[in-house]
Amino acid sequence: MSNQLEKIKELVELRTQARLGGGQKAIDKQHAKGKATARERIAMLLDEGSFEEMDMFVKHRCTNFGQDKKHFLGDGVVTGYGTIDGRLVYVFAQDFTVFGGSLSEMMSKKICKVMDMAMKVGAPVIGLNDSGGARIQEGIAALAGYGEIFERNILASGVIPQISGIFGPCAGGAVYSPALTDFTLMVEGMSYMFLTGPKVVKTVTGEDVSSEDLGGARVHASKSGVTHFTAPTGKDGIALIRKLLSFIPQNNLEEPPMVPCNDPIDRLEDTLNDIIPDDPNKGYDMYSVIGAIVDNGEFFEVQKDYAKNIIIGFAHMNGQSVGVVANQPNWMAGVLDSNSSRKAARFVRFCDAFNIPLVTLVDVPGFLPGTGQEYNGVILHGAKLLYAYGEATVPKVTVTLRKSYGGSHIVMSCKQLRGDMNYAWPSAQIAVMGAEGAAEVLYAREAKEQEDPKAFLAEKEKEYTDLFANPYQAAQLGYIDDVIEPRNTRFRVIRALQQLATKKETVPDKKHGNIPL
Ligand code: HXC
């Protein structure tokens, strides 16, 4: 064999070795837990045959605790690039078979390299996490590695989409990389995220809690809002990441991809003409409205189990990607509160950063009153959503279906927050507050002097209803651009979006604003 062939043989052998990560035994252990390996996950994520691996031969350079005798090619993370539906993405997948996927100095360098490449060319970064945290043997070098990654997460924020899939443990400060990215996905029964694990919790607070109850997928989907998506299996999770990317552009200078639309844009939805209950205290399902107006009824919901009083997610309208924000009258009457405001605010900011027009469907009775909310800082949280809408320069189309009262009217993408097209259904009630409350505030004293205070207040309530419980006061002042027939909503929104395709609007030059955090 020639020298050159000898060297090529060595290369092939090294590659084979690298592809085995921590070795067959560790791979078997990973499979026995029902988990795929880093390479298997990448293969599922990317278009077949598109993966180009980088830094396969990287090794750690730690000599503490006998580490100089333990080396695995690639050092615990698989990195590179490939395509999803033909579009370039950068990817890193932590390899649990190598030192439990723990983050070393060199592993961090590999991750930072793909992040830097993604920034240079303007393509999304997807991180598949499965790691025991900082590599304990490396001490501060591993911590510095996290710092390097976090800094890049921050600088990339709003420039390229960043997505984190959690496919195993993600604990300690390591959780901050996913938290800094745009979207996080967790797998039920497989992923967990927490700053301090159950043992530390028990020592410090005495609380007994399992990993699942402390930081499992269900907890973060419904209670903390840390994760945007959950999936029943790793495979489903990866499919979900692929789908998510279909709605978003490669970077902040590009538009989201258009998809072919075979759903007629002028499709009339008669059901919408009859969806608002006569009783103003009755709910109805906002999902039916969203499904009726978007292309083929397909809605890709984000954070569906968290703060269900507001609905957020992506859809296409005439093939164009849109971000939908909608109050849900079927859940806490669609009231705004701290959690729903935070949830929607972050989504609005994502859409604005990545040129995705916003379609807002309003039926909101106000902000949730009470000490629980006030002590929790609902003033600041509500202000986040207000700020996000007011700052957003993407096309903003708003449809008020029914209630739109007081502060929540302003917050939900009203005209004065630079709303571009603000429509209302004839059932809209745009007012400072509900009629009953208004009558009580204005006439409580007078009512006491009446023979029949109840009848007196009812009369005043009716007066207020006649005056304000309609869209025409707002339309008269030009705050509503048109009152539309509900069944025609899809067509009117699409026409508005077409009109706004070349919209240009700016914010004053500044280093950055100071959103009320
Ligand atoms: C080095 C680690 C490691 C780590 C796991 N391993 N975590 N090696 N540094 N952080 C190794 C194990 O020694 C083991 O090696 C192999 O990975 C697989 O781990 P197991 O424990 O056998 O797996 P499992 O039973 O599934 O348990 C997984 C685990 C557990 C829950 C993640 O390993 C664990 O608790 N690890 C420590 C977690 C932790 O405290 N990390 C530091 C957090 S502080 P062998 O050779 O036996 O196969 C932190 C700070 C970050 O991360 C701050 C950023 C700002």
Side-chain angles (χ1 to χ4, degrees), residues 244-260:
L244 169 62
L245 277 168
S246 70
F247 293 97
I248 59 190
Q250 291 292 90
N251 56 60
N252 64 332
L253 300 177
E254 289 187 13
E255 302 294 323
M258 287 289 290
V259 299

Side-chain angles (χ1 to χ4, degrees), residues 62-67 70 99 102 134-140 142:
C62 174
T63 54
N64 308 326
F65 302 104
Q67 282 294 87
K70 285 193 201 160
F99 302 117
S102 57
R135 191 164 305 162
I136 295 164
Q137 298 91 331
E138 296 202 6
I140 183 67

Side-chain angles (χ1 to χ4, degrees), residues 26 29 33 35 67 70 96-103 131-137 142-143 146-147 150 169 171-176 192 195 199:
K29 207 171 150 192
K33 287 185 204 158
K35 291 165 73 175
Q67 282 294 87
K70 285 193 201 160
F96 195 83
T97 69
V98 177
F99 302 117
S102 57
L103 190 109
S131 163
R135 191 164 305 162
I136 295 164
Q137 298 91 331
L143 283 192
Y146 274 119
F150 299 165
V175 295
Y176 282 118
Y192 48 92
L195 275 170
K199 281 188 195 139

Side-chain angles (χ1 to χ4, degrees), residues 349 387 391 509-515:
R349 296 195 102 211
Y387 192 111
E391 188 184 41
D509 272 349
K510 52 178 132 177
K511 186 169 178 190
H512 57 70
N514 191 12
I515 188 165

Side-chain angles (χ1 to χ4, degrees), residues 87-257:
R87 300 162 72 210
L88 177 68
V89 295
Y90 286 82
V91 59
F92 66 87
Q94 292 169 332
D95 183 352
F96 195 83
T97 69
V98 177
F99 302 117
S102 57
L103 190 109
S104 67
E105 172 214 10
M106 294 309 288
M107 183 167 159
S108 135
K109 283 188 192 300
K110 283 182 67 170
I111 294 174
C112 290
K113 191 192 270 187
V114 284
M115 293 177 84
D116 291 342
M117 294 290 293
M119 280 291 273
K120 264 195 275 194
V121 305
V125 175
I126 302 163
L128 307 180
N129 297 261
D130 185 2
S131 163
R135 191 164 305 162
I136 295 164
Q137 298 91 331
E138 296 202 6
I140 183 67
L143 283 192
Y146 274 119
E148 295 284 352
I149 295 169
F150 299 165
E151 178 64 18
R152 281 166 178 78
N153 285 137
I154 294 160
L155 295 179
S157 181
V159 181
I160 50 172
Q162 302 181 81
I163 298 167
S164 301
I166 316 295
F167 292 90
C170 182
V175 295
Y176 282 118
S177 179
L180 289 166
T181 62
D182 298 304
F183 295 104
T184 297
L185 167 129
M186 294 179 77
V187 181
E188 287 151 25
M190 185 189 284
S191 325
Y192 48 92
M193 296 176 79
F194 35 66
L195 275 170
T196 46
K199 281 188 195 139
V200 179
V201 170
K202 172 81 184 158
T203 313
V204 177
T205 70
E207 197 183 359
D208 253 320
V209 63
S210 66
S211 291
E212 192 60 34
D213 286 343
L214 184 63
R218 198 172 25 82
V219 162
H220 284 312
S222 59
K223 288 189 195 300
S224 71
V226 163
T227 194
H228 300 85
F229 304 102
T230 59
T233 67
K235 203 172 162 194
D236 294 318
I238 282 178
L240 216 140
I241 295 176
R242 286 181 61 100
K243 178 89 181 154
L244 169 62
L245 277 168
S246 70
F247 293 97
I248 59 190
Q250 291 292 90
N251 56 60
N252 64 332
L253 300 177
E254 289 187 13
E255 302 294 323

Side-chain angles (χ1 to χ4, degrees), residues 50-85:
S50 72
F51 182 48
E52 293 286 338
E53 188 167 343
M54 290 153 63
D55 285 338
M56 218 178 190
F57 308 116
V58 162
K59 291 184 191 175
H60 72 74
R61 47 184 182 177
C62 174
T63 54
N64 308 326
F65 302 104
Q67 282 294 87
D68 46 341
K69 294 180 193 71
K70 285 193 201 160
H71 281 285
F72 299 95
L73 289 182
D75 197 32
V77 68
V78 182
T79 59
Y81 62 95
T83 58
I84 291 181
D85 292 331

